[in-house]
Every structure is written in structure tokens, then in C-alpha cells.
């Protein structure tokens, strides 16, 4: 059988399956990036291939038949074209006719392979813009108008209202030019109405912001009357707002209602806001019934806090108790828009969640929520304090009703604050016992409420000078809330009252560390340093406080007083001038400033401020005394009489003022009036020695018969005086120590001490420093009277520099300086 088997020759015949495993690197697309020749061909003109040969004529015998023993030849297509990938005349034909690869029939005609189109050269330049064309001018002008409107809005947001108005006017002028040019080039229906509307609206808004209301109304009227502007009717709300600012309430209501009619019912929020404006305008006009109808409609459709509060105000104005109760219930039923804190508590220990919560705890949204919550609490608290005294027979019952309503609502935490406000109302009615009882109810409540109540109790007991009770409740408040600055301040006050200034300063410092805006603690620590004679530190405290409270009269006085203690009168006078600019009618500040000018030797300025002080408060003895002495010093005794007469009315038991009146009559030459005045003084104070001496002298010189009677009384009084002095002296010698002399009658002591200069009855420094004037009585023949005569207006020891009583009495600081404000407020 094997004889008939013939094996194929190995070399003489062609292999029909040869070439299938041959590898041609031309088709290796994965290695194209590393193929240097291909990359060079792409980047340079190397890609231009030489043209291929012409078409081969199609013949039936054009292709040799491959046989097993024939040579290997390339096969041609049936059309006579070379096969894909075949090499003909040294040119490799591309794979198939794919246009994206850059192959065209032109390649057969000799064009090179150019897939990137580099042989076509650069693109032709863009057509130059014709800036002189009308369309281009219109486009540029429209762009400029938009830019001016934007600049006007930006200037308004930055607060530069004048610049914003100028930009708006410029935009309006350019927009009118734009409209005229567009009408000349295109048809009227191609006008940009949106641009015209924005320009006019911005111009009207800027007029309104600059309070140019007539111009704003005219501009709004142009927009509203133009039928081409859609939804322009709602701008009547802005016109109504302008009329409201002008207090033209009837027109404001008219335009609000017109806007309400033109706004469709789908815009519910806008309609509610317009209804609120109408209600507020009715309140301003006193039409409370119409206002109640508007707000009741709002509360029934879309209740909100502002409408509810305004409804309560309107019902309070008409005195309708039932409507007030219903309105308050509707107010507390308004849902709170703030989150109650659940969003800001971490449900697990996920660190990523905790980081997110920490990031949003104090962001702008959280701050807005707190503001809304504070506003809601303010509305509810104010409404409760307003209606509680009138909705029931007594304010206590009214407060109890409000507390029950609040406890049943979502604002349950406000119930405690209402209870504290109830105690404050008791304080305003001077019912301290009920206030204390109400506050004591909070001793078993939670720490924050307990601290607030204990702080107020400490304040009350401090005002009543019960420092032990004040200290105990201050301790309770501090223990309940260590970070309560008011409690720490009250505790410092009780320690201050006990005289431990260093410890009091520590409490005030701790209060400031907890709340740097606690002005009471800062003021009190300044007083503490002043008591400790640490004037520089006290001055720093009050200067810091002055930066916070620019117009506080007490702070200004303390700064001036410290400069006076530091012996800097110029600075003291400067700060007192600022004090007078704040309180120009404060008589004590004026007299203090007059005293400083007097100590500096400026009598004219001193007189001016003393006179102003007397004009505002004509009962200050020191000011009256200085003014009387000033007129005597300037030889105007007649003008001094009115001041000493007023002093005698204020202190009728002080004989020295009446003696000064008589002396002024005598110095002015009115001897008869002086004699009558001395006689009147003698009737009121029969034991006054000085009065009898003047009566004896006057009667002697005039030649009256009563001289002997007055001389006898004078000798008897002088003898009684000698006996009294001897008894006093012998009593002192016998006891071996000083003993106060027994006081005689008021008239006698007053007369004797008038020239001696006792503190209670001494004359002012100006009176004592007056030189003795030449009087006709100096030539009197009564040498005994001359020897014992003491003129109250003669030279005496000069009085130390004094000033009017301080506006804030340091010795009485407990009630005026260290009192802390009640916390509920």
C-alpha cells in the first residue's frame, strides 16, 4: 500500500498556507509611539509618499495562478489594483479607503499620504471686524449700558449712594441714545425691552435710596404706564413704600391695594407681604380695626411672628381682651424655624461625622437660626409683658395665664423667663416682698434659672443694705453658674461693702474674663482701684469703659475726678467739659468745673459756670455762697443781697446769712434798711452777740434812744459768755482731759462762731479773703465796741479750696454705682 503514497516535494512546489504566520511590523499599532520612522513621517514632509503606478488593465489572464510548485507572487484584485498591503514600485498601499486616515484617490495619482493636512498650509486669516458698522456700534453701546448698570448696583451695595445714582443716570442717558440708534437701523420691535426695564428700575431704586422720592415716583410711573413691560404692576409696592416714608398713608394704602390686585394668587408669599404692609400702614393711621382684619387674614392663611405680634399690638390698642388672648395663642403656635439642636449632636462616634458637626456648629446658617430663635423669643416675651397687666383683673393673674399658654407650646423654656419678668414687675410696683417670694420659687429649678433668680435676689438685698443676705444669694448664684458675670459682679459688690477691696477686684476680674462686655464689672473695678489709691490702673479701666460707653456721664466724671486727684487740673477741666456736653443741665458738674477754674485763678470763667449751676439748681448753698462773695469782691453788694436772702430761706436757722444781708445793706449805704434787718435778726435770735454789737453801733451813730437798751443786753450776754467759758475751762482742768463745751442757744452760738470760722458755719474763702473797706464806723468814739467788733466781711483765714459735691457720691456708691441691672432685661 505504501507504494501508492507519494509525498509532496519540500522545495519544488509552493506551499498553499505559507505567509500566514509572517509578521509585518507595519500593522503593529501598539508600537507606533516607539516607531521613529513613523513619528518622523508624521512630524515632517517625510509623510509624502511617492506616487503609485498607474492602473493595471484588467485582463482575464492578469493574475498568475498559484500552484504548489510555483514561486510566491503578490495577488492583484479583480480590478487590476494592487492588494492592500502590497508593495508596488516601492510604494506601500494604505489599508482600505478610510477617509479619516487621509487616503484619497489622489494617492493613486501621485499625491503623498498627509493625514494631518500639513500640505494645505495655514488657515486663512479671520475676517476683520468692521467697527464702523451700525450693528457693531449698537452692540458696543449696549455693552456699555450693561456695565454702567452693574457698576451702579455695586456702588449701592458698597454704600456709595451718590456714585450709584450718577452711574444710573449715565446708564439712562446712554440707553436713550441706544434706542434712537436702533430705531434708525432696525425695526421698532427689535428694541431690547429688558435692557430698558433694568435701566429704569435701577434709576428709580437709586433715586429712592438717595431719598429723592419725587424723581423715584416719576421713574416708577414711567415703568408702570408702559404696557410693553410685563409684570410691571408689582412695582406699585415700591411706590407704596415711598409714600409710606413720606407719611402719605392714604396713597400708600391705595398703591398697596393696586399691587395686590395685579399680583396673581399663585404668588402667595408676595401677597402676604403686601397685606402686612397694609396692616402696618393702618396702625400708623390709627385705624386699628382695619389693621386687625388684615393681620387676622394673614394669621389664618400663613401665620408668621411679625403679623402675630402686630395683631397683638392692634388688639391692645383697642382694648379687646379676648382678641388679645386669641392673638397670643396664635403667636406661640407659629412654628419655630430654628433647629432645636438635633442636627448638631453626633449620633455615633464617627470621626468624619463629628468633624462635619463641628464645622457647621457656628456657620452662617447656624447663626441665622439663632437670630430667628432670639427674634421669636423677643416677640413672645414682649407680647406677654404687654398684655399680662390688662387681660385679667391683676397683672399677676395675667402673667400666670401667659405662663400656662407658653408651657403648652414649643417655647416652653420661656416660661421661667416670664416668671422672672413677673418678679421684675413687682419691683416696678415697689412690692419687694412679692418680688422676693417669686424669685425664691426658682431655688429648686435648674442651674441657669436658679442662677438668674439668685442674682436678682442678691441685687435686691444689696439695695436694702442687707449685705449678709446679698452675699449668701450671690454665693448661690455663683455656685449655680460660675460663668455668670452678673452673679460675680454682685458677689464683688458684697465684698466691696465689707471693705475687702483686693478680693472684690478679683471677683470683678473673673466677671470680665467670662464676659469682656460686662461694663458693670469694669466700672466697679475702676472704683476699687480708686479706693486702693492705684490711680493709674483706675484711669486705664475708665478709659477702656469710655471707649465702650462714649456718652456715659458717670464714666466721664470718674475720669475727670481721677485727673483731679492726680493733680492735673487741665485734664480734669477738659473731661468735665465733655461731661457738660453730654449733660448740659447737671448743676454739680457745672459747679465742679467752676471750682477748678476758681482754683486756677480764672474768676470770670468760674463765675460763668457757677452762675449756670445756680440757674439750673438754685438751692446749692456752696454755689450761692461763692456767687455772693464774688459780687462783694467786685463791689456790687446790692447784687449779692439776693443770693444771701435765698440762702437764709434755705437755712432759716443759720443766722450768718441774715447777718450777711444786713452787712450788704450797710456796705451799700442803706443804713436804715441795715438797721431794720439787724432788729429783725435780734427778734429771731435774741442771744446773738454780733447782732447786738451792730445794733449798738448803728443806734449810737444815728442817735437813737434804743442804744442803751441794746448796750445793756450786750453786756449781759458777754458776761454770760465769760461765765460759760470759765465753767468750761474749770471743767476741763478738773477732769484732766478735754471735754466738749456745752452748746448754748442756736442764735448765740451762731453769732459767736460767725467770725471764728467753724466748719458748719464758716464763710467761703472769697468772703474771708475780702479786704476791710473804709467805713464811717471806724471813727466811732465807742472804743469798747471798736475793740470787740469783728466785721464778718473783714480779713479772715482763707478757706481751703472746695468744690461742689460730686455728681456720683463715692460714699454712697452702693445704690448708684455698683448696682447691677436685673437679668431678665
Amino acid at each position: 500500500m505504501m507504494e501508492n503514497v507519494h509525498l509532496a516535494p519540500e522545495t519544488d512546489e509552493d506551499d498553499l498556507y505559507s505567509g500566514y504566520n509572517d509578521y509585518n511590523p507595519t500593522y503593529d499599532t501598539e508600537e507606533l509611539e516607539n516607531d521613529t520612522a513613523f513619528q518622523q513621517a508624521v512630524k515632517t514632509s517625510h509623510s509624502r509618499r511617492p506616487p503609485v503606478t498607474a492602473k493595471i488593465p484588467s485582463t482575464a489572464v492578469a493574475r498568475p495562478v498559484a500552484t504548489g510548485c510555483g514561486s510566491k507572487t503578490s495577488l492583484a484584485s479583480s480590478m487590476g489594483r494592487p492588494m492592500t498591503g502590497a508593495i508596488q514600485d516601492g510604494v506601500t498601499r494604505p489599508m482600505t479607503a478610510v477617509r479619516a486616515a487621509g487616503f484619497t484617490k489622489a494617492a493613486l495619482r501621485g499625491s503623498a499620504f498627509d493625514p494631518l493636512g500639513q500640505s494645505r498650509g495655514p488657515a486663512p486669516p479671520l475676517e476683520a471686524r468692521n467697527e464702523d458698522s451700525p450693528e457693531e456700534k449698537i452692540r458696543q453701546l449696549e455693552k456699555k449700558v450693561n456695565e454702567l448698570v452693574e457698576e451702579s448696583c455695586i456702588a449701592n451695595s458698597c454704600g456709595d449712594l451718590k456714585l450709584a445714582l450718577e452711574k444710573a443716570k449715565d446708564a439712562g442717558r446712554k440707553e436713550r441714545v441706544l434706542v434712537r440708534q436702533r430705531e434708525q437701523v432696525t425695526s421698532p420691535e427689535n428694541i431690547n425691552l429688558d435692557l430698558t426695564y433694568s435701566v429704569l428700575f435701577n434709576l428709580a431704586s437709586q433715586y429712592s435710596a438717595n431719598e429723592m422720592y419725587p424723581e423715584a415716583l416719576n421713574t416708577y410711573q414711567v415703568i408702570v404706564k408702559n404696557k410693553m413691560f410685563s409684570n410691571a404692576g408689582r412695582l406699585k409696592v415700591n411706590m407704596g413704600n415711598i409714600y409710606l416714608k413720606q407719611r402719605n398713608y392714604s396713597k400708600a394704602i391705595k398703591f398697596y391695594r393696586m399691587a395686590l390686585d395685579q399680583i396673581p394668587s399663585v404668588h402667595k408669599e408676595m401677597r402676604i407681604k403686601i397685606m402686612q404692609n397694609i396692616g402696618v400702614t393702618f396702625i400708623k393711621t390709627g385705624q386699628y380695626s382695619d389693621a386687625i382684619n388684615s393681620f387676622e387674614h394673614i394669621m389664618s392663611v400663613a401665620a408668621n411672628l411679625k403679623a402675630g405680634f402686630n395683631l397683638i399690638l392692634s388688639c391692645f390698642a383697642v382694648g379687646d381682651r379676648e382678641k388679645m388672648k386669641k392673638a397670643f395663642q396664635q403667636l406661640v403656635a407659629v412654628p419655630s424655624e430654628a433647629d432645636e439642636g438635633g442636627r448638631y449632636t453626633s449620633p455615633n462616634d464617627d470621626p468624619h461625622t463629628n468633624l462635619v458637626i463641628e464645622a457647621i456648629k457656628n456657620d452662617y446658617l447656624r447663626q441665622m437660626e439663632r437670630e430667628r430663635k432670639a427674634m421669636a423669643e423677643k416677640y413672645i416675651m414682649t407680647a406677654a409683658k404687654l398684655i399680662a397687666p390688662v387681660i385679667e383683673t391683676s397683672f399677676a393673674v395675667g402673667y400666670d395665664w401667659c405662663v400656662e399658654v407658653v408651657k403648652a407650646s414649643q417655647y416652653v423654656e420661656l416660661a421661667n423667663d416670664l416668671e422672672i419678668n413677673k418678679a421684675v414687675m413687682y419691683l416696678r410696683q415697689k412690692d419687694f416682698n412679692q418680688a422676693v417670694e417669686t424669685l425664691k420659687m426658682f431655688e429648686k429649678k435648674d442651674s441657669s434659672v436658679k442662677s438668674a433668680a439668685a442674682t436678682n435676689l442678691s441685687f435686691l438685698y444689696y439695695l436694702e443694705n442687707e449685705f449678709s443676705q446679698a452675699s449668701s444669694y450671690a454665693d448661690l448664684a455663683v455656685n449655680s453658674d460660675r460663668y455668670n458675670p452678673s452673679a460675680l459682679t454682685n458677689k464683688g459688690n458684697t465684698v466691696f461693702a465689707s471693705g475687702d477691696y483686693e478680693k472684690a477686684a478679683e471677683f470683678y476680674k473673673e466677671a470680665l474674663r467670662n464676659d469682656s462686655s460686662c461694663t458693670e464689672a469694669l466700672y466697679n473695678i475702676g472704683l476699687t482701684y480708686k479706693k486702693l489709691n492705684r490711680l493709674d490702673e483706675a484711669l486705664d479701666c475708665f478709659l477702656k469703659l469710655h471707649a465702650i460707653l462714649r456718652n456715659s456721664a458717670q464714666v466721664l466724671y470718674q475720669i475727670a475726678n481721677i485727673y483731679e486727684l492726680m493733680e492735673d487740673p487741665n485734664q480734669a477741666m477738659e473731661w468735665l467739659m465733655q461731661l457738660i456736653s453730654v449733660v448740659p443741665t447737671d448743676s454739680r458738674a457745672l459747679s465742679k468745673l467752676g471750682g477748678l477754674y476758681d482754683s486756677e485763678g480764672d474768676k470770670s470763667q468760674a463765675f460763668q459756670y457757677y452762675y449756670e449751676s445756680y440757674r439750673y439748681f438754685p438751692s446749692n448753698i456752696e454755689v450761692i455762697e461763692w456767687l455772693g462773695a464774688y459780687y462783694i469782691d467786685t463791689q456790687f453788694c446790692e447784687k449779692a443781697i439776693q443770693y444771701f436772702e435765698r440762702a437764709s430761706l434755705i437755712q432759716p436757722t443759720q443766722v450768718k446769712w441774715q447777718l450777711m444781708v444786713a452787712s450788704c445793706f450797710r456796705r451799700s449805704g442803706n443804713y436804715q434798711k441795715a438797721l431794720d434787718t439787724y432788729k429783725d435778726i435780734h427778734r429771731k435770735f435774741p442771744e446773738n452777740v454780733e447782732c447786738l454789737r451792730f445794733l449798738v453801733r448803728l443806734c449810737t451813730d444815728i442817735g437813737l434812744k434804743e442804744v442803751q437798751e441794746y448796750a445793756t443786753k450786750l453786756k449781759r450776754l458777754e458776761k454770760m459768755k465769760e461765765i460759760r467759758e470759765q465753767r468750761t475751762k474749770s471743767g476741763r482742768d478738773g477732769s484732766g482731759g478735754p471735754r466738749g463745751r456745752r452748746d448754748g442757744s442756736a442764735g448765740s452760738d451762731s453769732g459767736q462762731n460767725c467770725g471764728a470760722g467753724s466748719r458748719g458755719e464758716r464763710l467761703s474763702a472769697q468772703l474771708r479773703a475780702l479786704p476791710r473797706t473804709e467805713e464811717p464806723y471806724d471813727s466811732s468814739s465807742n472804743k469798747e465796741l471798736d475793740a470787740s467788733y469783728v466785721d464778718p466781711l473783714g480779713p479772715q483765714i482763707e478757706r481751703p479750696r472746695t468744690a461742689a459735691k460730686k455728681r456720683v457720691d463715692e460714699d454712697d456708691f452702693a445704690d448708684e454705682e455698683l448696682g447691677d441691672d436685673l437679668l431678665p432685661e
Side-chain angles (χ1 to χ4, degrees), residues 136-148:
E136 183 63 26
K137 289 182 179 180
I138 289 175
R139 280 196 296 269
Q140 292 295 329
L141 190 56
E142 185 173 338
K143 181 179 178 182
K144 182 62 177 176
V145 171
N146 281 314
E147 290 177 354
L148 287 173

Side-chain angles (χ1 to χ4, degrees), residues 14 201 371 618 650 691 734:
D14 294 333
F201 178 71
E371 290 176 0
I650 297 172
C691 180

Side-chain angles (χ1 to χ4, degrees), residues 79-97:
M79 296 299 295
R81 293 177 300 176
M83 295 181 63
T84 301
I87 301 175
Q88 185 177 354
D89 298 333
V91 179
T92 304
R93 183 176 183 270
M95 295 177 60
T96 69

Side-chain angles (χ1 to χ4, degrees), residues 148-187:
L148 287 173
V149 172
E150 291 178 1
E151 291 174 2
S152 175
C153 297
I154 292 173
N156 181 279
S157 63
C158 295
D160 193 348
L161 302 181
K162 186 176 180 181
L163 178 61
L165 180 59
E166 292 298 327
K167 295 288 185 181
K169 288 181 179 179
D170 195 10
R173 288 190 292 266
K174 284 184 169 51
E175 194 273 335
R176 288 191 293 270
V177 175
L178 174 63
V179 170
R180 287 195 295 267
Q181 291 184 3
R182 194 181 290 275
E183 288 176 349
Q184 294 174 1
V185 175
T186 61
S187 58

